[in-house]
Amino acid sequence: MKNEIKHQLIPLGLTIIILVLFEVVSTAVFPALGVKNYRLPFNILIVLYLGFKVESPFIAIHIIVLQYFHSLFSIEGWEMGTISGILICMIIGYLKELLHFSSAFITILLTQLFQVFWFIILAAMLYMKMTDFSLILDKFYRFIPESIFISLCAPVVFLILDRLWGVSSKEGMLGEEV
């Protein structure tokens, strides 16, 4: 049975390696190239993939592990990202029958939409913690280009993760038959 945790350890381990590679690029390579104000949230993209595509009762554990590895590269609280990720995956779980990844455009659109939901949840938690809206507004202006770039990367990253996790569908996100 593929829902057993032992069948998901290798794909999760390889996903962590991919996340670490993305984080190294985002935290070391981009600043070396002069892009210092933006950090691409590849962790959100991977969590969204898990919510969209992976059928597992261990999604929350996967999210905690991914957010923990993300926290090695970020000073942001991994706990707020974990809570946001779990809430987003719960929303996706309720809407799963309505979500169909029939094209790259739909994948980009759905990824962008759920990143906005992620930001709203995170902003609400930050506001409750700090009661100051100026930081949230500053984060929002940085969120827009970051989320657009991540959404544009989604079809390719999802295709790679589909192969890694063994997820198959009748039609891939780039429009080709799988």
Side-chain angles (χ1 to χ4, degrees), residues 1 13 35-37 42 50 71 119 134 140 148 152 172 175 178:
M1 174 181 246
V35 181
K36 296 179 182 175
N37 293 332
F42 286 106
L50 292 175
S71 73
F119 181 81
S134 62
F140 179 72
I148 290 171
L152 293 173
V178 178

Side-chain angles (χ1 to χ4, degrees), residues 156-172:
V156 175
V157 173
F158 281 16
L159 191 64
I160 292 167
L161 292 174
D162 275 347
R163 304 225 193 267
L164 214 153
W165 282 89
V167 173
S168 63
S169 61
K170 288 186 177 181
E171 190 172 331

Side-chain angles (χ1 to χ4, degrees), residues 32 42 51 68 77 88 91 105 108 113 119 125 138 142 144 149 161:
F42 286 106
Y68 180 76
I88 290 296
I91 293 168
F105 177 74
I108 291 167
L113 178 69
F119 181 81
M125 286 190 287
D138 182 48
R142 284 187 314 202
I144 293 171
F149 183 82
L161 292 174

Side-chain angles (χ1 to χ4, degrees), residues 50-132:
L50 292 175
F52 289 145
K53 300 281 193 124
V54 176
E55 299 277 339
S56 173
F58 305 107
I59 291 292
I61 294 169
H62 296 334
I63 293 170
I64 290 171
V65 170
L66 288 169
Q67 288 301 114
Y68 180 76
F69 277 92
H70 167 68
S71 73
L72 298 174
F73 297 91
S74 174
I75 59 171
E76 295 174 356
W78 62 272
E79 69 282 350
M80 288 196 296
T82 301
I83 292 168
S84 298
I86 291 171
L87 289 174
I88 290 296
C89 286
M90 288 173 57
I91 293 168
I92 291 170
Y94 289 120
L95 300 174
K96 203 165 238 178
E97 295 299 319
L98 301 173
L99 304 175
H100 299 285
F101 297 94
S102 57
S103 69
F105 177 74
I106 297 297
T107 303
I108 291 167
L109 189 65
L110 287 172
T111 304
Q112 184 64 37
L113 178 69
F114 281 99
Q115 282 186 87
V116 170
F117 289 157
W118 185 295
F119 181 81
I120 290 169
I121 292 169
L122 198 61
M125 286 190 287
L126 278 174
Y127 184 72
M128 288 188 296
K129 190 175 187 179
M130 298 176 14
T131 65
D132 183 17

